[in-house]
Amino acid sequence: MAQSPLAVLKDLKEKKFAPIYFLEGDESFYIDQISEFIEKNAIAEHERSFNQIVLYGKDSNVGQIINNARKFPMMAERQVVIVKEAQSLPDLGKEDSQNLLIGYAQNPLPSTILVFAHKYKKLDKRTQLSKILQKNTVYVTSDKIPDYKLTEWVLQYFKDIGHDIEPKAAQFLAEAIGNNLEVMTNEVGKMLINFQKPTKFGIAEISKYIGINKDYNNFELLKALGVRDAVKSNQIINYFIQNPKSHPLIPLFALMYNYFSKLALIHQAGQASDDQIASLIGVPRFVAREYLQSARNYKLGKVIDVFTYIKEADLRSKGVDSGSMTDAEILRELVYKILH
């Protein structure tokens, strides 16, 4: 059975190591965290030259990996074998190789820690290989954090690293960066270089140290659209047009679609409490109030129209029925249609 990445990291920090780890999924952040923790902490640094082997999928095969895993450590308690980019193993799909891996998984060498970092892909859960690995290894499936859970993830992440962040600032950061956790944590890490003591972060600190313009960003655009503030909306998109590399259209269209999808859910819910709405659309209660106000500004029929506008703009940005329209013209037209 798959285990949660956080539970596995907790065990590792308590020095509870298992013979085999199979790490898979679309979100590489936790796969990297777990494999890097084992690489840096499972054995002492002076033992690594003889007892730690790092292989890469495209340059290896299952037989080579198992042969290394069956070796005994040299003058140490254990050895570590890490297979990075395991999804690129050329023979992982072959029956003989799968049987070899199944055999080892059922009877691993206790003195070896074998780690497969199988990024961006998942094994077919119907196969015998997947079933055996789930039963006999520490099996982690690392999925992308859904957009509606990202603010909650940011809040928890700051607590985990010994800091705090205001809910509004967490939402601001989530909306601005999106659910690429590697980018998110890298940007936060750069910011934390400037703070040696536990700190509570607000929008001002996020804007200053991560470089997100606190007035002109995706978060503020959605807020301006929500209250149908045409002046503010156009100021923001003009800034985006002047800085296209920092504000690509496709992710922006996805954010808009998600935003108006929440408004559609609110309309479908009818008369519901703030807490019920917050649970339904997956946001904190204080954020739900803002969405409720936006839902009053956009009747359900208009919301449905907006979905059509976003789809048209998305296709045009990809060259479908765009004529000679530039990205700037596509964005301006979309915002005009939404507001009017």
Side-chain angles (χ1 to χ4, degrees):
M1 181 179 293
Q3 300 185 34
S4 78
L6 293 178
V8 173
L9 283 166
K10 181 176 181 294
D11 285 345
L12 291 175
K13 290 172 183 176
E14 294 173 358
K15 298 189 180 301
K16 298 176 183 176
F17 296 101
I20 308 175
Y21 293 82
F22 195 89
L23 319 172
E24 67 168 13
D26 301 322
E27 179 50 72
S28 63
F29 175 73
Y30 286 116
I31 295 174
D32 288 339
Q33 273 209 321
I34 293 170
S35 58
E36 286 174 8
F37 187 93
I38 293 172
E39 186 174 354
K40 294 176 181 177
N41 297 279
I43 59 177
E45 186 173 359
H46 69 273
E47 297 176 342
R48 293 175 195 162
S49 57
F50 291 107
N51 294 298
Q52 185 155 285
I53 301 167
V54 177
L55 303 170
Y56 288 85
K58 67 178 181 178
D59 301 320
S60 309
N61 58 64
V62 173
Q64 179 186 358
I65 292 164
I66 300 304
N67 286 338
N68 278 292
R70 291 194 185 281
K71 293 178 181 178
F72 289 95
M74 294 182 62
M75 298 177 289
E77 179 184 354
R78 61 171 70 98
Q79 71 155 349
V80 176
V81 179
I82 298 175
V83 186
K84 297 186 177 182
E85 310 294 341
Q87 74 279 1
S88 299
L89 279 165
D91 60 339
L92 188 58
K94 296 180 179 178
E95 184 177 354
D96 289 349
S97 297
Q98 291 189 358
N99 289 336
L100 190 62
L101 183 51
I102 286 170
Y104 183 79
Q106 292 174 323
N107 187 29
L109 192 66
S111 57
T112 293
I113 298 174
L114 174 59
V115 182
F116 290 89
H118 190 270
K119 292 182 180 180
Y120 316 120
K121 289 185 179 180
K122 299 178 186 178
L123 295 180
D124 184 342
K125 297 298 185 289
R126 299 168 297 180
T127 63
Q128 185 185 15
L129 175 62
S130 177
K131 292 174 182 176
I132 294 296
L133 290 177
Q134 289 186 69
K135 182 180 179 181
N136 294 278
T137 74
V138 174
Y139 196 98
V140 174
T141 297
S142 181
D143 291 319
K144 286 285 187 184
I145 303 295
D147 289 334
Y148 71 90
K149 288 187 176 180
L150 193 54
T151 298
E152 179 184 339
W153 187 91
V154 172
L155 289 165
Q156 186 59 50
Y157 179 72
F158 272 77
K159 289 181 181 178
D160 291 343
I161 60 176
H163 294 275
D164 198 2
I165 185 170
E166 296 172 0
K168 282 275 189 181
Q171 185 194 9
F172 174 68
L173 190 57
E175 294 279 5
I177 293 181
N179 68 347
N180 186 321
L181 301 189
E182 183 178 358
V183 174
M184 176 78 74
T185 53
N186 283 343
E187 292 299 322
V188 171
K190 293 174 190 175
M191 177 179 70
L192 294 181
I193 293 173
N194 301 282
F195 298 88
Q196 304 305 316
K197 297 180 179 179
T199 304
K200 185 169 185 176
F201 294 91
I203 289 178
E205 289 80 13
I206 301 298
S207 300
K208 179 178 179 181
Y209 292 100
I210 295 184
I212 303 168
N213 189 302
K214 67 183 180 66
D215 296 313
Y216 302 115
N217 55 71
N218 293 338
F219 178 75
E220 291 299 322
L221 176 59
L222 294 176
K223 282 179 61 177
L225 290 174
V227 298
R228 303 192 86 149
D229 185 337
V231 173
K232 180 70 171 179
S233 297
N234 282 291
Q235 287 174 341
I236 295 171
I237 64 170
N238 285 334
Y239 176 82
F240 287 3
I241 289 165
Q242 292 168 14
N243 300 272
K245 290 185 178 179
S246 301
H247 300 280
L249 290 186
I250 304 302
L252 176 57
F253 294 157
L255 287 172
M256 287 181 173
Y257 186 88
N258 288 336
Y259 183 88
F260 283 93
S261 293
K262 290 181 173 64
L263 301 192
L265 288 172
I266 291 171
H267 283 298
Q268 290 177 340
Q271 298 297 321
S273 68
D274 288 1
D275 288 333
Q276 290 172 323
I277 293 297
S279 176
L280 176 67
I281 63 176
V283 299
R285 191 172 187 271
F286 75 90
V287 179
R289 295 195 191 102
E290 296 179 4
Y291 279 98
L292 280 164
Q293 181 58 52
S294 296
R296 297 186 190 102
N297 293 331
Y298 291 90
K299 302 301 182 184
L300 181 57
K302 178 64 174 180
V303 171
I304 294 171
D305 289 340
V306 169
F307 291 146
T308 302
Y309 304 151
I310 295 171
K311 182 179 179 181
E312 288 175 349
D314 181 59
L315 289 172
R316 284 175 176 167
S317 71
K318 297 169 182 174
V320 179
D321 296 328
S322 59
S324 59
M325 290 182 74
T326 64
D327 283 357
E329 290 168 337
I330 291 169
L331 181 56
R332 284 199 177 100
E333 181 184 71
L334 172 60
V335 169
Y336 179 86
K337 285 182 175 179
I338 291 173
L339 291 170
H340 297 88

